[in-house]
Amino acid sequence: GQEYLEHVREEDELYPGFCLIVGDGKGMYVHSNRDPTKSIEQIGCGSTIGLTNTLLRPGWFKSERGVSLVNSLVVPDPDVLASLASDSDFRKSHTAPSSALKDLLAPALAVLSDKVTPEFPADSSSYDKAGQFSSIFVPAVNTSPNPQIKKEYGTRCSIAIFVDNLNRTTFYEHALDVESGQWHDRVFHFTAQPYAPASERS
């Protein structure tokens, strides 16, 4: 994990702002290219982390609320989840989720569709008062100052990832097709493989 982030850090200026958490058998680590210190921080395994596309700290309302909601979830039984999955090549194929899988993951997916916003003081700016930008799920909002130009901002994709102690992974995506305006769900099942440095790959 840490070695991979060290590699990412060498080229992180090539990417738009990100905050990335990686983990392996040795621990979990976080790095953001928005951090002027360029640090890689180890975080505690077993703890819940709220991640946005900015620095890990200070937390945003949405990340703090997300942590609270996730901590209240009952984690799906890994064997039951695996029984609803079949391995697929993540890069090439996906399937529409079954109704049984949707039902099993519904509580976790509800976290990603949460639209609760904080209470704002009366003297907040009109941008903040909109509140729509502060929820976990951000409904589409036209941010263009020109009413004749549509410039939408909002959540386009929500992803829930479940990895068990056997590295069986379920990657569930709820995404907007911008062209059609329709939302679709798809799921990838695979067994995660440990990261190997380029020097060790055959």
Side-chain angles (χ1 to χ4, degrees), residues 114-125:
D114 186 83
K115 296 181 181 131
V116 172
T117 58
E119 295 291 328
F120 290 101
D123 60 351
S124 297
S125 71

Side-chain angles (χ1 to χ4, degrees), residues 24 52 54 62 76 107-108 124-125 161 165 171 174 182 194:
D24 56 22
T52 64
T54 185
K62 65 177 67 184
S124 297
S125 71
I161 305 171
N165 59 359
F171 184 103
H174 180 66
Q182 299 296 309

Side-chain angles (χ1 to χ4, degrees), residues 112-135:
L112 298 174
S113 62
D114 186 83
K115 296 181 181 131
V116 172
T117 58
E119 295 291 328
F120 290 101
D123 60 351
S124 297
S125 71
S126 59
Y127 180 87
D128 284 342
K129 278 185 182 176
Q132 295 147 316
F133 304 105
S134 301
S135 58

Side-chain angles (χ1 to χ4, degrees), residues 97-108:
S98 66
S99 58
L101 183 62
K102 281 186 176 182
D103 290 345
L104 183 65
L105 301 185

